[in-house]
Amino acid sequence: MTLHITEEAPSPIVVRRRPTRLWRPRRVLVTPAALDHAHGRQIVARAEDLGLPVERLKSNRLTGLRDENPRRAYTQAKSTLAVVTAPPTKLKLQPIPPSADWRFDLAEGCPAHCQYCYLAGSLSGPPVTRVYANLDAILGNLENYLGQGGVTSASQTRAAEGTTFEASCYTDPLGIEHLTGSLSAAIRYFGAWEAPVQLRFTTKFAALEPLLGLPHRGRTRVRFSVNAAAAAHYEGGTAPLADRLAAMGALAGAGYPIGLTIAPILPVEDWREAYDALLRDAAEALADVREPDLTVELITHRFTPGSKTVLEGWYPGSDLPMREAERTRKLTKFGSVKYVFPGDLMKTMRAHLTERIAVRLPTARILYWT
Ligand code: SF4
């Protein structure tokens, strides 16, 4: 399999990684509206270059994706890529605390199989990966939000980041980049934008080659979503942890601001040692990088009644602990219920991780614990 080659000179950085396994959807659906956009046609061309079967739909609606059997519906949807146009509602951006001032979407859905996937609580219907062809409109819309942020821009410690835009709320943009090129386009867009802005995304993938030579100008923070090694079996279809950390080191060497999103934090067996080992490995991955601009985001595991139902349908044999009796019930600011770890456990885990980060990654900035 070949990777998309960027036009810029290749980076001098040698990336110590195994060959990357890239997602090959079994079906690629494309709507007529998507084909009206040059970016949509480019995605189709990429898919055809990779030998993927492309179905040109007669209407702009995706149909035939539902199945009475939730497991079968899940399997079919997870192996389907749909090239569509983002609806107008996607151009009305929402704040996304505590990560960023605004959230915008290059795609919706992800081909991986994480048993604690946060998308289970936010997406409806079969989890098809929809990628957006009207990229020019999506990126061109962002300037309407410049200087208007109320999340990081309103924070004393983070205002220097400029207006922040988060691109991984509904997808993992690096996991599908070999098929879309959308993330590279967004990184270039922010690099050329003469304003105090930051593009942010987090990923459980490691196919960083398209990103290495891009003119990012330090305006994109790439965060790697990582967890204790004992949680690896929950993350089917993602890149191995060692590859993610090696990719982080390579991107830091290429001048990108980087980050660790440690999520979802779980009290796995010997969790103190397990998370310390993760931080040790992260420090090792950055050992050759002088003064990396590194942040850490700490997100504990939580679930809602809705996300639990969806995940139990997708992963019926999972041993992911989601017993309400072992959790504290909380109301979100929208009045819905979520289950988090009890306060004492939260405090203990927070104190330990904060202390180990100070030891292992002394220059890192912790952005939040939630
Ligand atoms: S990589 Fe992220 S978005 Fe994709 S399945 Fe895993 S948790 Fe969900």
Side-chain angles (χ1 to χ4, degrees), residues 3 17 20-23 106-107 109-111 167-168 171-184 187 201-212 214 222-225 239 243-244 247-248 251 256:
L3 278 171
R17 296 187 320 110
T20 306
R21 255 185 338 123
L22 300 173
W23 181 47
L106 299 168
C110 169
S168 48
T171 189
D172 188 313
L174 189 59
I176 50 178
E177 179 62 5
H178 59 293
L179 295 163
T180 67
S182 305
L183 182 59
S184 298
I187 292 171
F201 71 90
T202 190
T203 182
K204 282 184 166 57
F205 288 84
L208 77 168
E209 285 80 358
L211 276 46
L212 279 176
L214 294 178
V222 187
R223 299 114 76 211
F224 286 85
S225 176
D243 291 6
R244 282 179 241 170
M248 179 177 73
L251 288 175
Y256 280 89

Short mmCIF file of all heavy atoms in Angstrom, two decimals, residues 3 17 20-23 106-107 109-111 167-168 171-184 187 201-212 214 222-225 239 243-244 247-248 251 256:
data_model
loop_
_atom_site.label_atom_id
_atom_site.label_comp_id
_atom_site.label_asym_id
_atom_site.label_seq_id
_atom_site.Cartn_x
_atom_site.Cartn_y
_atom_site.Cartn_z
N LEU A 3 1.38 5.43 0.43
CA LEU A 3 0.82 6.54 1.17
C LEU A 3 0.76 7.75 0.26
O LEU A 3 1.49 7.85 -0.71
CB LEU A 3 1.72 6.88 2.36
CG LEU A 3 1.54 6.03 3.59
CD1 LEU A 3 2.64 6.33 4.57
CD2 LEU A 3 0.19 6.32 4.22
N ARG A 17 9.50 3.24 12.95
CA ARG A 17 8.18 2.66 13.12
C ARG A 17 8.03 1.46 12.22
O ARG A 17 8.70 1.31 11.23
CB ARG A 17 7.11 3.69 12.73
CG ARG A 17 7.10 4.88 13.65
CD ARG A 17 5.96 5.82 13.39
NE ARG A 17 5.68 5.99 11.99
CZ ARG A 17 4.62 5.53 11.37
NH1 ARG A 17 3.74 4.84 12.00
NH2 ARG A 17 4.42 5.75 10.11
N THR A 20 2.86 0.89 8.50
CA THR A 20 1.54 1.20 9.04
C THR A 20 0.45 0.44 8.29
O THR A 20 0.47 0.37 7.06
CB THR A 20 1.28 2.71 8.87
OG1 THR A 20 2.36 3.40 9.48
CG2 THR A 20 -0.01 3.12 9.51
N ARG A 21 -0.47 -0.13 9.04
CA ARG A 21 -1.63 -0.76 8.41
C ARG A 21 -2.69 0.30 8.21
O ARG A 21 -3.12 0.93 9.17
CB ARG A 21 -2.19 -1.87 9.32
CG ARG A 21 -1.84 -3.24 8.81
CD ARG A 21 -2.47 -4.36 9.62
NE ARG A 21 -2.86 -4.04 10.97
CZ ARG A 21 -4.11 -4.20 11.43
NH1 ARG A 21 -5.05 -4.67 10.66
NH2 ARG A 21 -4.40 -3.91 12.68
N LEU A 22 -3.07 0.52 6.98
CA LEU A 22 -4.04 1.57 6.68
C LEU A 22 -5.41 0.95 6.41
O LEU A 22 -5.51 -0.14 5.83
CB LEU A 22 -3.59 2.38 5.47
CG LEU A 22 -2.23 3.08 5.62
CD1 LEU A 22 -1.80 3.70 4.31
CD2 LEU A 22 -2.31 4.14 6.71
N TRP A 23 -6.43 1.66 6.82
CA TRP A 23 -7.79 1.15 6.65
C TRP A 23 -8.16 1.03 5.18
O TRP A 23 -7.96 1.95 4.40
CB TRP A 23 -8.78 2.09 7.35
CG TRP A 23 -10.21 1.64 7.24
CD1 TRP A 23 -10.69 0.39 7.47
CD2 TRP A 23 -11.34 2.46 6.89
NE1 TRP A 23 -12.06 0.38 7.30
CE2 TRP A 23 -12.48 1.63 6.94
CE3 TRP A 23 -11.49 3.81 6.56
CZ2 TRP A 23 -13.76 2.11 6.66
CZ3 TRP A 23 -12.77 4.28 6.28
CH2 TRP A 23 -13.88 3.44 6.33
N LEU A 106 -14.37 17.49 9.86
CA LEU A 106 -13.92 17.12 8.52
C LEU A 106 -14.60 15.82 8.09
O LEU A 106 -14.64 15.50 6.90
CB LEU A 106 -12.41 16.90 8.52
CG LEU A 106 -11.56 18.12 8.91
CD1 LEU A 106 -10.11 17.71 9.16
CD2 LEU A 106 -11.64 19.19 7.83
N ALA A 107 -15.10 15.08 9.08
CA ALA A 107 -15.72 13.78 8.83
C ALA A 107 -16.50 13.41 10.08
O ALA A 107 -16.42 14.09 11.11
CB ALA A 107 -14.63 12.73 8.55
N GLY A 109 -17.41 9.73 12.20
CA GLY A 109 -17.25 8.28 12.26
C GLY A 109 -15.78 7.90 12.16
O GLY A 109 -14.94 8.72 11.79
N CYS A 110 -15.49 6.63 12.51
CA CYS A 110 -14.11 6.18 12.58
C CYS A 110 -14.08 4.68 12.33
O CYS A 110 -14.96 3.96 12.80
CB CYS A 110 -13.56 6.50 13.97
SG CYS A 110 -11.98 5.71 14.34
N PRO A 111 -13.08 4.20 11.60
CA PRO A 111 -13.06 2.77 11.28
C PRO A 111 -12.56 1.87 12.41
O PRO A 111 -12.65 0.65 12.29
CB PRO A 111 -12.10 2.71 10.09
CG PRO A 111 -11.21 3.89 10.25
CD PRO A 111 -12.04 4.95 10.90
N ALA A 167 -10.78 19.38 15.79
CA ALA A 167 -11.25 18.65 14.60
C ALA A 167 -11.46 17.16 14.84
O ALA A 167 -11.65 16.41 13.88
CB ALA A 167 -10.26 18.85 13.45
N SER A 168 -11.43 16.72 16.11
CA SER A 168 -11.55 15.27 16.33
C SER A 168 -12.67 14.91 17.29
O SER A 168 -12.60 13.89 17.97
CB SER A 168 -10.21 14.72 16.83
OG SER A 168 -9.70 15.50 17.89
N THR A 171 -14.62 12.23 14.85
CA THR A 171 -13.85 11.33 13.99
C THR A 171 -12.42 11.25 14.49
O THR A 171 -12.03 12.01 15.39
CB THR A 171 -13.86 11.82 12.53
OG1 THR A 171 -13.30 10.82 11.68
CG2 THR A 171 -13.04 13.10 12.36
N ASP A 172 -11.65 10.33 13.93
CA ASP A 172 -10.21 10.36 14.13
C ASP A 172 -9.62 10.75 12.77
O ASP A 172 -9.50 9.91 11.87
CB ASP A 172 -9.69 8.98 14.57
CG ASP A 172 -8.22 9.04 14.96
OD1 ASP A 172 -7.44 9.65 14.19
OD2 ASP A 172 -7.86 8.52 16.01
N PRO A 173 -9.26 12.01 12.59
CA PRO A 173 -8.93 12.47 11.23
C PRO A 173 -7.66 11.85 10.65
O PRO A 173 -7.54 11.73 9.43
CB PRO A 173 -8.78 13.99 11.38
CG PRO A 173 -8.57 14.24 12.83
CD PRO A 173 -9.22 13.12 13.58
N LEU A 174 -6.72 11.40 11.53
CA LEU A 174 -5.50 10.78 10.98
C LEU A 174 -5.77 9.35 10.50
O LEU A 174 -5.15 8.89 9.54
CB LEU A 174 -4.39 10.78 12.04
CG LEU A 174 -3.00 10.37 11.56
CD1 LEU A 174 -2.51 11.29 10.43
CD2 LEU A 174 -2.00 10.37 12.70
N GLY A 175 -6.72 8.68 11.11
CA GLY A 175 -7.01 7.29 10.72
C GLY A 175 -7.57 7.15 9.32
O GLY A 175 -7.56 6.06 8.74
N ILE A 176 -8.10 8.25 8.76
CA ILE A 176 -8.68 8.21 7.41
C ILE A 176 -7.95 9.15 6.44
O ILE A 176 -8.38 9.33 5.31
CB ILE A 176 -10.19 8.58 7.46
CG1 ILE A 176 -10.40 9.89 8.23
CG2 ILE A 176 -10.99 7.45 8.10
CD1 ILE A 176 -11.84 10.37 8.27
N GLU A 177 -6.82 9.70 6.91
CA GLU A 177 -6.14 10.71 6.09
C GLU A 177 -5.64 10.16 4.76
O GLU A 177 -5.62 10.87 3.75
CB GLU A 177 -4.99 11.33 6.91
CG GLU A 177 -4.15 12.37 6.19
CD GLU A 177 -4.94 13.60 5.77
OE1 GLU A 177 -6.13 13.71 6.11
OE2 GLU A 177 -4.36 14.44 5.06
N HIS A 178 -5.23 8.89 4.72
CA HIS A 178 -4.74 8.31 3.46
C HIS A 178 -5.84 8.27 2.41
O HIS A 178 -5.54 8.20 1.21
CB HIS A 178 -4.16 6.91 3.70
CG HIS A 178 -5.14 5.94 4.28
ND1 HIS A 178 -5.65 6.07 5.56
CD2 HIS A 178 -5.71 4.83 3.76
CE1 HIS A 178 -6.49 5.07 5.80
NE2 HIS A 178 -6.55 4.30 4.73
N LEU A 179 -7.11 8.32 2.85
CA LEU A 179 -8.22 8.28 1.91
C LEU A 179 -8.76 9.68 1.60
O LEU A 179 -9.38 9.87 0.55
CB LEU A 179 -9.36 7.43 2.49
CG LEU A 179 -9.02 5.95 2.67
CD1 LEU A 179 -10.00 5.26 3.59
CD2 LEU A 179 -8.99 5.27 1.31
N THR A 180 -8.59 10.62 2.52
CA THR A 180 -9.24 11.93 2.34
C THR A 180 -8.29 13.07 1.98
O THR A 180 -8.65 13.94 1.19
CB THR A 180 -9.99 12.34 3.62
OG1 THR A 180 -9.04 12.60 4.66
CG2 THR A 180 -10.99 11.27 4.06
N GLY A 181 -7.16 13.15 2.63
CA GLY A 181 -6.29 14.34 2.47
C GLY A 181 -6.86 15.56 3.18
O GLY A 181 -6.28 16.65 3.10
N SER A 182 -7.98 15.41 3.88
CA SER A 182 -8.64 16.58 4.48
C SER A 182 -7.83 17.18 5.62
O SER A 182 -7.79 18.40 5.80
CB SER A 182 -10.02 16.18 5.02
OG SER A 182 -10.79 15.59 4.01
N LEU A 183 -7.19 16.32 6.40
CA LEU A 183 -6.42 16.83 7.54
C LEU A 183 -5.22 17.64 7.06
O LEU A 183 -4.93 18.73 7.58
CB LEU A 183 -5.97 15.65 8.40
CG LEU A 183 -5.19 15.99 9.66
CD1 LEU A 183 -5.99 16.89 10.59
CD2 LEU A 183 -4.77 14.71 10.39
N SER A 184 -4.52 17.13 6.05
CA SER A 184 -3.38 17.88 5.50
C SER A 184 -3.84 19.24 4.98
O SER A 184 -3.16 20.26 5.17
CB SER A 184 -2.73 17.09 4.36
OG SER A 184 -2.22 15.88 4.84
N ILE A 187 -4.37 21.50 7.93
CA ILE A 187 -3.09 21.94 8.51
C ILE A 187 -2.47 23.05 7.65
O ILE A 187 -1.98 24.06 8.16
CB ILE A 187 -2.14 20.73 8.66
CG1 ILE A 187 -2.67 19.78 9.73
CG2 ILE A 187 -0.72 21.19 9.02
CD1 ILE A 187 -1.94 18.45 9.81
N PHE A 201 -6.21 18.38 17.03
CA PHE A 201 -6.89 17.10 16.86
C PHE A 201 -6.16 16.05 17.68
O PHE A 201 -4.98 16.20 18.00
CB PHE A 201 -6.99 16.68 15.38
CG PHE A 201 -5.69 16.27 14.75
CD1 PHE A 201 -5.25 14.94 14.79
CD2 PHE A 201 -4.88 17.20 14.13
CE1 PHE A 201 -4.05 14.56 14.20
CE2 PHE A 201 -3.67 16.83 13.56
CZ PHE A 201 -3.26 15.51 13.59
N THR A 202 -6.89 15.00 18.01
CA THR A 202 -6.29 13.89 18.74
C THR A 202 -6.52 12.61 17.97
O THR A 202 -7.49 12.50 17.22
CB THR A 202 -6.85 13.83 20.18
OG1 THR A 202 -6.09 12.89 20.94
CG2 THR A 202 -8.30 13.43 20.21
N THR A 203 -5.59 11.66 18.11
CA THR A 203 -5.65 10.47 17.27
C THR A 203 -5.14 9.24 18.00
O THR A 203 -4.26 9.34 18.87
CB THR A 203 -4.83 10.69 15.97
OG1 THR A 203 -4.94 9.52 15.15
CG2 THR A 203 -3.36 10.94 16.25
N LYS A 204 -5.68 8.09 17.60
CA LYS A 204 -5.14 6.81 18.06
C LYS A 204 -4.42 6.12 16.90
O LYS A 204 -4.21 4.91 16.94
CB LYS A 204 -6.27 5.91 18.56
CG LYS A 204 -6.78 6.25 19.96
CD LYS A 204 -7.82 5.23 20.36
CE LYS A 204 -8.18 5.23 21.82
NZ LYS A 204 -8.65 6.46 22.38
N PHE A 205 -4.08 6.86 15.88
CA PHE A 205 -3.38 6.29 14.73
C PHE A 205 -1.96 6.85 14.65
O PHE A 205 -1.57 7.70 15.45
CB PHE A 205 -4.17 6.56 13.45
CG PHE A 205 -5.43 5.72 13.38
CD1 PHE A 205 -6.59 6.13 14.01
CD2 PHE A 205 -5.43 4.49 12.74
CE1 PHE A 205 -7.73 5.34 13.99
CE2 PHE A 205 -6.56 3.70 12.70
CZ PHE A 205 -7.72 4.12 13.33
N ALA A 206 -1.19 6.36 13.67
CA ALA A 206 0.23 6.74 13.65
C ALA A 206 0.77 6.96 12.23
O ALA A 206 1.97 7.14 12.07
CB ALA A 206 1.04 5.65 14.34
N ALA A 207 -0.10 6.95 11.21
CA ALA A 207 0.37 7.10 9.83
C ALA A 207 0.62 8.58 9.55
O ALA A 207 -0.15 9.25 8.87
CB ALA A 207 -0.66 6.52 8.86
N LEU A 208 1.72 9.06 10.08
CA LEU A 208 1.99 10.50 10.09
C LEU A 208 2.66 11.02 8.82
O LEU A 208 2.82 12.24 8.66
CB LEU A 208 2.86 10.84 11.29
CG LEU A 208 4.35 10.49 11.17
CD1 LEU A 208 5.11 11.15 12.28
CD2 LEU A 208 4.60 9.03 11.10
N GLU A 209 3.06 10.13 7.91
CA GLU A 209 3.89 10.56 6.79
C GLU A 209 3.32 11.76 6.02
O GLU A 209 4.06 12.68 5.69
CB GLU A 209 4.16 9.40 5.83
CG GLU A 209 5.19 8.40 6.36
CD GLU A 209 4.60 7.41 7.38
OE1 GLU A 209 3.39 7.54 7.69
OE2 GLU A 209 5.33 6.53 7.86
N PRO A 210 2.01 11.80 5.73
CA PRO A 210 1.51 12.96 4.97
C PRO A 210 1.70 14.29 5.70
O PRO A 210 1.72 15.35 5.09
CB PRO A 210 0.01 12.65 4.79
CG PRO A 210 -0.13 11.19 5.03
CD PRO A 210 0.95 10.82 6.00
N LEU A 211 1.87 14.23 7.02
CA LEU A 211 1.91 15.46 7.81
C LEU A 211 3.32 16.02 7.97
O LEU A 211 3.50 17.20 8.30
CB LEU A 211 1.35 15.19 9.22
CG LEU A 211 -0.16 15.23 9.44
CD1 LEU A 211 -0.95 14.49 8.38
CD2 LEU A 211 -0.52 14.76 10.82
N LEU A 212 4.33 15.18 7.76
CA LEU A 212 5.68 15.58 8.17
C LEU A 212 6.21 16.82 7.47
O LEU A 212 6.83 17.66 8.09
CB LEU A 212 6.65 14.41 7.95
CG LEU A 212 6.63 13.35 9.06
CD1 LEU A 212 7.54 12.19 8.70
CD2 LEU A 212 7.04 13.95 10.40
N LEU A 214 4.53 19.26 5.95
CA LEU A 214 3.55 20.33 5.69
C LEU A 214 3.97 21.67 6.31
O LEU A 214 4.59 21.68 7.38
CB LEU A 214 2.18 19.93 6.27
CG LEU A 214 1.49 18.73 5.64
CD1 LEU A 214 0.17 18.45 6.35
CD2 LEU A 214 1.23 19.00 4.15
N VAL A 222 -0.94 18.40 17.54
CA VAL A 222 -1.31 17.00 17.33
C VAL A 222 -1.20 16.28 18.66
O VAL A 222 -0.13 16.18 19.24
CB VAL A 222 -0.38 16.31 16.31
CG1 VAL A 222 -0.90 14.91 15.99
CG2 VAL A 222 -0.23 17.14 15.05
N ARG A 223 -2.34 15.77 19.13
CA ARG A 223 -2.31 15.03 20.41
C ARG A 223 -2.54 13.56 20.12
O ARG A 223 -3.36 13.19 19.27
CB ARG A 223 -3.38 15.55 21.36
CG ARG A 223 -3.18 17.03 21.70
CD ARG A 223 -4.32 17.86 21.15
NE ARG A 223 -5.51 17.71 21.93
CZ ARG A 223 -6.75 17.79 21.44
NH1 ARG A 223 -6.94 17.98 20.15
NH2 ARG A 223 -7.78 17.66 22.22
N PHE A 224 -1.84 12.74 20.85
CA PHE A 224 -2.00 11.30 20.69
C PHE A 224 -2.80 10.77 21.86
O PHE A 224 -2.45 11.03 23.02
CB PHE A 224 -0.63 10.62 20.55
CG PHE A 224 -0.05 10.88 19.20
CD1 PHE A 224 0.67 12.04 18.95
CD2 PHE A 224 -0.29 10.00 18.15
CE1 PHE A 224 1.15 12.32 17.68
CE2 PHE A 224 0.19 10.27 16.88
CZ PHE A 224 0.92 11.43 16.65
N SER A 225 -3.85 10.07 21.54
CA SER A 225 -4.71 9.48 22.55
C SER A 225 -4.09 8.17 22.98
O SER A 225 -3.90 7.26 22.17
CB SER A 225 -6.10 9.25 21.95
OG SER A 225 -6.92 8.59 22.88
N ALA A 239 -3.62 2.05 15.95
CA ALA A 239 -2.17 1.79 15.87
C ALA A 239 -1.66 1.38 17.24
O ALA A 239 -2.14 1.88 18.26
CB ALA A 239 -1.45 3.05 15.40
N ASP A 243 3.78 2.72 18.38
CA ASP A 243 3.78 3.46 17.12
C ASP A 243 3.24 4.88 17.31
O ASP A 243 3.73 5.84 16.71
CB ASP A 243 2.93 2.74 16.07
CG ASP A 243 3.58 1.43 15.63
OD1 ASP A 243 4.60 1.05 16.23
OD2 ASP A 243 3.06 0.80 14.69
N ARG A 244 2.21 4.99 18.15
CA ARG A 244 1.67 6.34 18.39
C ARG A 244 2.72 7.22 19.07
O ARG A 244 2.89 8.39 18.72
CB ARG A 244 0.43 6.23 19.30
CG ARG A 244 -0.80 5.79 18.58
CD ARG A 244 -1.96 5.69 19.57
NE ARG A 244 -2.47 4.33 19.63
CZ ARG A 244 -3.34 3.88 20.53
NH1 ARG A 244 -3.80 4.69 21.45
NH2 ARG A 244 -3.75 2.63 20.51
N ALA A 247 5.33 8.21 16.62
CA ALA A 247 4.79 9.26 15.72
C ALA A 247 4.80 10.61 16.43
O ALA A 247 5.11 11.65 15.83
CB ALA A 247 3.37 8.88 15.29
N MET A 248 4.49 10.60 17.71
CA MET A 248 4.52 11.86 18.47
C MET A 248 5.93 12.44 18.47
O MET A 248 6.13 13.65 18.26
CB MET A 248 4.04 11.61 19.90
CG MET A 248 4.06 12.85 20.76
SD MET A 248 3.42 12.57 22.43
CE MET A 248 4.79 11.62 23.14
N LEU A 251 6.71 13.91 15.00
CA LEU A 251 6.02 15.17 14.71
C LEU A 251 6.59 16.31 15.56
O LEU A 251 6.69 17.45 15.10
CB LEU A 251 4.51 15.02 14.93
CG LEU A 251 3.81 14.18 13.86
CD1 LEU A 251 2.34 13.97 14.23
CD2 LEU A 251 3.90 14.84 12.49
N TYR A 256 5.98 20.40 15.21
CA TYR A 256 4.57 20.51 15.63
C TYR A 256 4.48 20.62 17.15
O TYR A 256 5.16 19.86 17.86
CB TYR A 256 3.80 19.25 15.25
CG TYR A 256 3.35 19.14 13.80
CD1 TYR A 256 4.17 18.56 12.84
CD2 TYR A 256 2.09 19.58 13.42
CE1 TYR A 256 3.75 18.42 11.52
CE2 TYR A 256 1.66 19.43 12.11
CZ TYR A 256 2.48 18.86 11.17
OH TYR A 256 2.06 18.72 9.87
#
